[in-house]
Amino acid sequence: MKGEKNAGVKRSRQTSAGLGRPGGSRETYSDFLQLDILLNLQATLHDPPQRDELLFIVIHQVSELWLKLMHHELSEARREIAQDELPQALKHFARVKAIQEQLIAAWKVLNTMTPADYLEFRHVLGTSSGFQSWGYRLVEYILGNKDASYIDVHRRDPKIVARLEAVLAEPSLYDEVLRLLARRGFKLPATVVKRDWRKPFAGHKAAVEAWLTIYRHPRDHWELYDLAEKLMDMEMLFQRWRFDHVSAVERVIGHQPGTGGSSGVAFLKKALDLRFFHDLYEVRNRLIYG
Ligand code: HEM
C-alpha cells in the first residue's frame, strides 16, 4: 500500500511539472480539480438555500459541463472526418452518445421537484433562462442548427457573441460528412460542399441520392453506412432530450410563460420539429417507396 501511494505521488509530481497553473499546484485531488472553486459555484440566493434551489443549480451546472464536453468531442470528430479518419471519429461519436444519455438521465433527478418546490425559488431566477445557454447553442451549431438569431440574446456580452459567431461560421459536422462523401466519389455540387457555413442546410437531392446508394448497398459502403446510422443515433437522443425537457417543464409550470419570456411549453414544442440531418430522414421515405 505504502509503495502504491508513493508511486501515485511521484506520478502526480511528474504530471504537474508540465501542467501547473500560475499560482497553483496539482499536488492533490482537490488542486487538480480546482474543487475549491467548483464546489463554491453553487451559491444560492437564499441562505440557507430554499429546499430545491441547490438541486436546480446543480442540474443546470452538470448539464452545462456535459454540453461543454459534448461540443469538444464533436469538434474532434469533425476534425477527424475532415482528415478521413473515420474509425477515430466513430470513437468520439460513441462518447457523445454516452454523454447524451447522461444529459437525459438528469431529467430523472429534476422530475423529483414538484411545482410547489419550484415556486419557492422561481422568483430569484428573474429573467434568466436556459434559452440563454450558449453551451447548448454551440452544440446545436456544430450539429447544424445554424440559426443566427440565437446570438441576439447575448449582445451585451461580446466574448460570448464572438465565440458563437466563430462556431456558426464553421462547417457543421454534417457539412464535413458531405465533403467526405464527395472525396469518396459521390457527386455533390459545389453549392453543397463549398457554401456559406453560416446558413442552415435543409438537405439536397444529390446528397439524398448518395445516401440512397449507400443504404441500398450497405456492404459496399459499410463505413459510410455505419457513420450515417451513428448520426441518426445522435439526432434521436437530441430529440429525446428536447422531449424530456418539455415534459419536465409542463410537469412543473404547466402552460405558463417561461422566465425567458417565451410561451413556455408551446414554444419548446416547436423545437421538436427541428432536424439536423434532413437527408438521412429523406432517405427513409425513398427507401420504402422509391
Ligand atoms: C423545472 C426546470 C425547467 C424549467 C421550468 C424550464 C423552462 C424552460 C422554458 C419555459 C424555456 C423556454 C424559454 C423561456 O421562456 O424561458 C426553456 C428553454 C431552455 N431550457 Fe429549460 N427549463 C428547465 C430546466 C432546464 C434544464 C435542467 C436545462 C439544462 C441545461 C434547460 C435548458 C434549456 C435550454 C437549452 C433551453 C432553450 C431551448 C431551445 O431554444 O430550444 N432547462 N426552459
Side-chain angles (χ1 to χ4, degrees), residues 101-147:
E101 283 161 355
Q102 290 298 314
L103 279 163
I104 290 168
W107 297 120
K108 252 193 174 170
V109 186
L110 189 76
N111 286 337
T112 60
M113 184 179 75
T114 66
D117 298 331
Y118 181 60
L119 275 181
E120 282 183 7
F121 66 89
R122 187 183 183 177
H123 61 283
V124 303
L125 301 178
T127 54
S128 70
S129 159
F131 187 76
Q132 299 145 4
S133 167
W134 50 270
Y136 182 79
R137 297 306 174 206
L138 290 180
V139 170
E140 280 202 310
Y141 282 173
I142 196 169
L143 285 176
N145 185 19
K146 298 284 189 93
D147 184 340

Side-chain angles (χ1 to χ4, degrees), residues 161-176:
V161 171
R163 182 89 201 275
L164 285 166
E165 293 278 5
V167 175
L168 184 73
E170 293 167 358
S172 71
L173 182 72
Y174 187 65
D175 288 325
E176 281 301 351

Side-chain angles (χ1 to χ4, degrees), residues 144-145 201 235 239 242 271-278 281:
N145 185 19
F201 180 72
E235 171 106 46
Q239 283 300 346
R242 286 185 175 127
L272 295 178
D273 288 332
L274 291 173
R275 292 283 177 272
F276 298 123
F277 313 124
H278 299 272
Y281 280 98

Side-chain angles (χ1 to χ4, degrees), residues 22-280:
S25 84
R26 294 201 168 186
E27 295 289 312
T28 69
Y29 176 82
S30 188
D31 289 339
F32 181 73
L33 295 173
Q34 301 192 66
L35 292 185
D36 49 342
I37 298 174
L38 181 69
L39 298 179
N40 277 300
L41 288 176
Q42 292 73 40
T44 57
L45 286 181
H46 294 101
D47 189 20
Q50 297 290 343
R51 276 184 302 162
D52 284 2
E53 202 179 347
L54 186 61
L55 162 85
F56 195 76
I57 293 173
V58 168
I59 294 283
H60 279 84
Q61 289 187 345
V62 167
S63 300
E64 288 294 335
L65 287 175
W66 284 130
L67 287 167
K68 178 178 180 167
L69 186 62
M70 187 169 163
H71 182 255
H72 170 73
E73 299 295 333
L74 287 168
S75 307
E76 287 296 295
R78 181 182 54 186
R79 182 181 54 76
E80 284 154 355
I81 288 169
Q83 294 169 355
D84 291 288
E85 294 170 348
L86 241 55
Q88 289 89 334
L90 289 181
K91 183 170 180 295
H92 285 286
F93 278 21
R95 191 172 292 160
V96 167
K97 187 175 173 184
I99 294 169
Q100 288 181 285
E101 283 161 355
Q102 290 298 314
L103 279 163
I104 290 168
W107 297 120
K108 252 193 174 170
V109 186
L110 189 76
N111 286 337
T112 60
M113 184 179 75
T114 66
D117 298 331
Y118 181 60
L119 275 181
E120 282 183 7
F121 66 89
R122 187 183 183 177
H123 61 283
V124 303
L125 301 178
T127 54
S128 70
S129 159
F131 187 76
Q132 299 145 4
S133 167
W134 50 270
Y136 182 79
R137 297 306 174 206
L138 290 180
V139 170
E140 280 202 310
Y141 282 173
I142 196 169
L143 285 176
N145 185 19
K146 298 284 189 93
D147 184 340
S149 72
Y150 292 142
I151 301 178
D152 293 345
V153 76
H154 299 289
R155 287 293 164 207
R156 277 188 301 182
D157 196 330
K159 262 198 200 155
I160 295 177
V161 171
R163 182 89 201 275
L164 285 166
E165 293 278 5
V167 175
L168 184 73
E170 293 167 358
S172 71
L173 182 72
Y174 187 65
D175 288 325
E176 281 301 351
V177 169
L178 290 179
R179 277 143 69 108
L180 173 77
L181 291 191
R183 288 197 297 280
R184 299 258 171 123
F186 292 95
K187 282 205 171 61
L188 294 175
T191 49
V192 169
V193 290
K194 221 177 160 196
R195 51 185 204 88
D196 178 359
W197 308 123
R198 291 175 51 89
K199 297 272 176 338
F201 180 72
H204 192 282
K205 58 180 191 306
V208 175
E209 287 304 323
W211 288 120
L212 273 172
T213 305
I214 292 163
Y215 272 75
R216 283 185 178 133
H217 310 283
R219 283 173 203 285
D220 298 340
H221 307 277
W222 192 262
E223 270 196 336
L224 296 173
Y225 178 67
D226 193 26
L227 177 73
E229 285 300 291
K230 297 285 182 331
L231 289 175
M232 287 302 289
D233 286 348
M234 226 182 270
E235 171 106 46
M236 285 183 72
L237 286 172
F238 210 96
Q239 283 300 346
R240 192 165 318 151
W241 185 91
R242 286 185 175 127
F243 181 80
D244 286 356
H245 181 220
V246 185
S247 308
V249 172
E250 187 167 13
R251 181 177 177 154
V252 175
I253 64 165
H255 287 259
Q256 297 183 57
T259 45
S262 81
S263 57
V265 165
F267 168 82
L268 292 171
K269 275 192 175 160
K270 280 191 218 136
L272 295 178
D273 288 332
L274 291 173
R275 292 283 177 272
F276 298 123
F277 313 124
H278 299 272
D279 299 323
L280 296 178

